Amino acid sequence: MIDAGNVPLVFGGSTHFLSEEQIAALSVQASAGDSASALRLYQFYTFSNLDSRKAFGWLEIAARNRNTVAQYNLEKILQQENKYAEALYWAHTADSNGESGASRLAEELERQIKEANSNGR
């Protein structure tokens, strides 16, 4: 089993680089519910091997498995996409799981939803 928080860096490589073997092992672990592995794959596909579809998929898996960093990041992405109801769900979820700052984000989202509703969006 690979420790997702302790995947060794490749000399001269990116901070978020993963080998094919590491990707395979982390994928199995993440698919089995390991949120740290899913978050590590999200980082890989966001910062090293740019693939937004895969990155978002792994971020969702990490968030569903109670990773508060993933929940917070997912909320921010959904907010930017104007998916306020989904974003609010993840802000409240991150807040209830102890993510600092998530409460403030939920309040901000609630204001945005009210503004959108009053503007007829």
Side-chain angles (χ1 to χ4, degrees):
M1 175 181 259
I2 290 181
D3 178 0
N6 197 24
V7 173
L9 300 178
V10 174
F11 181 74
S14 165
T15 300
H16 299 286
F17 177 81
L18 293 172
S19 69
E20 290 298 321
E21 295 80 19
Q22 291 169 322
I23 293 167
L26 289 170
S27 294
V28 168
Q29 291 168 204
S31 296
D34 181 27
S35 68
S37 294
L39 187 66
R40 184 66 179 88
L41 288 163
Y42 158 73
Q43 293 168 334
F44 171 71
Y45 287 112
T46 299
F47 302 114
S48 184
N49 187 11
L50 305 178
D51 186 327
S52 60
R53 185 185 57 79
K54 286 183 181 179
F56 190 81
W58 290 118
L59 183 63
E60 284 185 307
I61 289 171
R64 284 194 304 266
N65 286 289
R66 300 181 53 93
N67 185 296
T68 58
V69 171
Q71 292 167 346
Y72 184 93
N73 288 347
L74 185 56
E75 179 279 329
K76 295 301 286 180
I77 290 169
L78 293 168
Q79 181 184 21
Q80 291 170 355
E81 295 176 352
N82 297 327
K83 296 178 179 177
Y84 297 133
E86 291 175 73
L88 186 59
Y89 168 81
W90 286 111
H92 283 303
T93 301
D95 182 40
S96 69
N97 288 323
E99 177 63 30
S100 65
S103 171
R104 181 187 51 76
L105 287 176
E107 291 170 6
E108 179 184 321
L109 273 167
E110 288 167 353
R111 277 194 306 278
Q112 288 178 328
I113 291 169
K114 285 180 186 175
E115 286 176 21
N117 288 338
S118 68
N119 292 332
R121 280 201 253 168

